[in-house]
Every structure is written in C-alpha cells, then in structure tokens.
Amino acid sequence: MKVGILGAGQLGRMLAEAGKGLGMEFRFLDPATEISARGLGEHVCAAFEDVDALDEFREGLDVVTYEFENVPVESVRWLAERVPVHPSPEALRVAQDRLFEKRHFRELGVAVPPFADFFFRDEFNEALRRIGLPVVLKTRRFGYDGKGQRVIRAEADIEQAWKDLYGIPLFIEGFVPFDREVSLLAVRGRNGEFRAWPLVENHHREGILRLSIAPAPAISEAVQRRAEAHAKRVMETLGYVGVLAIEFFLCGSELLANEMAPRVHNSGHWSIEGSETSQFENHLRAVAGLPLGPTGMKGHSAMVNLIGETPSAVSSWPNAHFHDYGKKPRAGRKAAHLTLVEDSLDRLRGRLDELKGATGLPAV
Ligand code: AMP
C-alpha cells in the first residue's frame, strides 16, 4: 500500500513511522526543501498549487491524506477526482474556516460560544452589541496557535483590534471563562467504524500547546459520552474517514466546541506510547480501509511540547519517550516532544514536577 501525504512536517514524520509497522510506503508533497519527514518516503518538492507536481505526486498512490490543513482545497479536490482522498475535501473545506466550523457544530446541536460574522464596520459594531464584551476577534482562516486573534475586553480595545486585523475575513465570539481546555481525538473507518480516545486536558501558553494530560483528570462518563457523540455526528455528516480532533472549552460539565482539526493532532501525540493504538496508526488504518485498532489506555500520559531549543537534560530524561522532529530550532517552533507514561495520575504529576524542576522547562 502506497500512501501519499500532503505536508511533510512532524505529523507526516510520525504518520510514516507508524506506517512502517503496517508495511506501507509513503510519498510526501511539500514545498519545503528541508522536511521533518526526510528519509521516510519520496519527497515531491513543489507548491501545493502546482498541477504538474500534483500529477507526479498521485502517480501509483493507493490513497492520499494530509497532515497540514492549509493545503488548498482545490488541489485536494483535483486529487480526489483521481485517487481516494481521506478525510474528504468537504471536511477540509469546513475545517479551514473557523466560521464554517462553528456553523457546522451549531447545526448539529454541538454547543459553541456565541459568535457573529460581519464585513463592514457598522456590522462589526452591531455584532459587538449583540454578543457583548468581552469577545475574541478572530480571523476565519489561517489562524493557528493563537495567531490572528485579539481579545477585546473593554470599549477602549475595539479600535486597535479592528485596525490590527481588518481587511481579512473575521468574526467574533464571546470570551469563554472556561475551567479547562480539553480535546477529543476520534477516528472513523471507511466502513463507518468509530473509536475515540479519552478526553485530553490541554495547557497552552502564548497560544501554543505546552502540555497534554491523558486521560483528562476528573471527567465524568457523561461528559466523555457527550464529546464522543459530538465527534461521531460531525464525522458522519461529513462522511469523514481518518482521525479528527475537536477542541472544547469545559465550563463545569458543559462542553463548548472551539475548533476541529481534520488530521492527527498535537494533543494526541501521547498515544504513541500511551494507547494500545496511536492516533497515527489508526489514522492510517482508517484511510487505508483497514480495521481500526483498540484505543485502550496503557496508563496516565503526559506530553510536553518542546518549543525552540531543547534543554539537553530533557532529551535524556530517564523513563521518558523523546521524539525529535529533526527541524532546525527556531524561537516559537515546535522542535520535539516528550511523553511520560505512569500507572497513576499522582505519580505522573510527581514526575512532571521533577522534570520541570531539573530541566528548567517553563511551567505551564
Ligand atoms: P484557537 O486558535 O481558536 O484554538 O485559540 C487559541 C487559544 O485562545 C485557545 O486555546 C484558548 O486558550 C484561547 N481562546 C480562543 N477562543 C477563546 C474564547 N472564545 N474564549 C476564551 N479563550 C479563547
């Protein structure tokens, strides 16, 4: 089985690593010359919009998937006319636009923060009046890791936020005083088979994910079931095949959907060691039409993202799984991650404290 992957960053790398065990071969399309997935498959180095390159890329592939959600949907549609592509171009179209995503959630009865879109300034003012401060002003597209967002807390912030972002499609949503941020990773096979992992608790700093704890502590069965039901409905309505991640704000026992990623997700990296089947393997199983693997837990996991330069003590930390992405370190860039798996949450917390104390990793 030969799998094509659009994008060859660390997600492509970890997909290909998981696929080796399934006897799969890989080809990547990525405009970058230095790719994290180097050595794990062929690399067509070209723009995603280059039709000749798309033609070269799809030759002899059994299935195409993507690890990067900002690939042009037109290129994915072009490929889907010639080779099976999963998740579908429609899933990608919805997931690329935060407004489409929010509308899709709302139509399916998945609770979301109040939101409103606008174009002209008077419509923006009207939307602000309707939602009420504080709000988050967000770009509809190409926002990730908190980029392209402004929190408007008071009247005095409105002018600057508008000046900063105006000119690109925007929307606002109510600022949610959440207790925690959690994500659900789920996978759906070609035959509709569905599996999910336990909700994961996520900690961000400066908009970037720093730490994930799986399973998220103190989640009731009812909340877990509701999150899974939401994911199942979203996937069924989009004819979705592969891994989907949905990020939620947890307020008491209420789940408000923030956004979804139509691909394997950073908050699922712990599953390489912490689950019976990793998100990477199950994504490949799904898109290739293979039976899905069990998603049982091997204990309590913590995944620490390593941003920029990795302190050397971290890479050799005992009883930890270190994954280096083979990228040139740059400030703010995800360069590696570390996973700890323990048999109790207390022990996991203790080990996280030791790790932070000894290595100077910033607290989350
Ligand atoms: P996003 O890029 O939408 O995932 O947002 C990045 C981070 O900003 C989230 O992980 C939250 O911590 C925060 N955030 C986004 N939207 C809201 C909101 N409506 N209310 C409060 N915090 C938010």
Side-chain angles (χ1 to χ4, degrees), residues 95-133:
Q96 279 182 345
D97 187 313
R98 288 153 187 271
L99 182 67
F100 293 167
E101 233 169 43
K102 288 258 147 66
R103 285 185 184 146
H104 190 75
F105 287 140
R106 193 173 56 187
E107 277 162 23
L108 298 179
V110 177
V112 288
F115 64 92
D117 67 312
F118 46 83
F119 184 75
F120 297 110
R121 179 59 195 256
D122 58 336
E123 296 169 328
F124 174 53
N125 291 342
E126 169 53 27
L128 284 170
R129 252 194 309 278
R130 204 151 15 103
I131 307 279
L133 294 182

Side-chain angles (χ1 to χ4, degrees), residues 263-309:
R263 53 172 170 78
V264 287
H265 190 252
N266 197 171
S267 68
H269 291 1
W270 59 271
S271 64
I272 297 175
E273 292 88 10
S275 169
E276 289 173 290
T277 313
S278 75
Q279 62 163 347
F280 301 100
E281 176 174 339
N282 258 345
H283 181 76
L284 292 171
R285 286 181 164 277
V287 302
L290 299 172
L292 303 180
T295 50
M297 301 297 281
K298 290 187 177 168
H300 295 260
S301 296
M303 191 277 323
V304 180
N305 258 349
L306 299 163
I307 317 280
E309 203 84 50

Side-chain angles (χ1 to χ4, degrees), residues 230-248:
H230 288 339
K232 197 158 188 272
R233 212 168 317 134
V234 169
M235 289 168 118
E236 282 169 358
T237 51
L238 291 171
Y240 195 96
V241 173
V243 165
L244 173 79
I246 306 185
E247 296 184 72
F248 295 98

Side-chain angles (χ1 to χ4, degrees), residues 98 101-102 113-114 134-136 138 143-149 151 171-178 181 202-209 247 249 258-259:
R98 288 153 187 271
E101 233 169 43
K102 288 258 147 66
V135 301
V136 186
K138 295 186 174 185
Y144 66 95
D145 291 344
K147 295 193 175 76
Q149 291 197 12
V151 179
F171 72 107
I172 54 168
E173 64 183 36
F175 183 88
V176 180
F178 53 79
E181 291 188 81
N202 298 317
H203 298 262
H204 297 85
R205 209 160 43 83
E206 289 150 10
I208 303 179
L209 179 68
E247 296 184 72
F249 300 129
N258 178 30
E259 61 177 347

